[in-house]
Amino acid sequence: MKRVLGVFLFIALVASCKRDLPPPGVERACVLECERGVSRCDALQCRRGCGLILDRLREGERQTIFTCMHHKATECTDAQWASCAAQVGPYIDGGPIAPERKAFEDE
């Protein structure tokens, strides 16, 4: 009986150690790259961040975002992932200047 219980506990332990990765594709590639390269992020933060920026991953902006996470990010939070994801393409420098506010005709 003890041997059966030991085998059962061993199987349960091995099953619990299995990594929980997203399905194959851009999100999984992002998670794996994040775990390898972004030292301030743990596995859960990488998974959350890559899920958050999924639209930018589909647009091919992964390298730009990881450059931002490597050099500009001070912590690995959802807000930092979103900030790096917003600074791509034409918005890499913060975006265009806001239009000048015009007075209404009746003022």
Side-chain angles (χ1 to χ4, degrees):
M1 184 67 172
K2 288 182 180 182
R3 181 176 277 173
V4 173
L5 182 61
V7 169
F8 177 74
L9 289 175
F10 177 74
I11 292 171
L13 177 67
V14 169
S16 69
C17 292
K18 181 183 164 195
R19 289 184 61 191
D20 188 26
L21 288 174
V26 294
E27 189 175 3
R28 179 182 283 184
C30 175
V31 170
L32 294 174
E33 184 177 342
C34 175
E35 289 176 354
R36 279 192 314 264
V38 183
S39 59
R40 64 184 61 87
C41 295
D42 63 22
L44 178 62
Q45 291 169 325
C46 285
R47 181 149 184 179
R48 285 181 54 87
C50 289
L52 183 69
I53 63 165
L54 193 56
D55 58 332
R56 298 296 188 195
L57 296 175
R58 294 280 183 203
E59 294 170 358
E61 297 288 351
R62 185 175 78 206
Q63 197 57 42
T64 307
I65 294 168
F66 276 105
T67 300
C68 175
M69 288 301 289
H70 285 297
H71 299 294
K72 296 180 182 175
T74 56
E75 55 189 355
C76 190
T77 61
D78 290 351
Q80 188 63 55
W81 279 100
S83 175
C84 286
Q87 297 175 14
V88 297
Y91 309 107
I92 202 158
D93 63 352
I97 300 171
E100 194 175 308
R101 186 170 180 234
K102 297 180 181 179
F104 291 104
E105 290 180 14
D106 61 344
E107 287 184 353

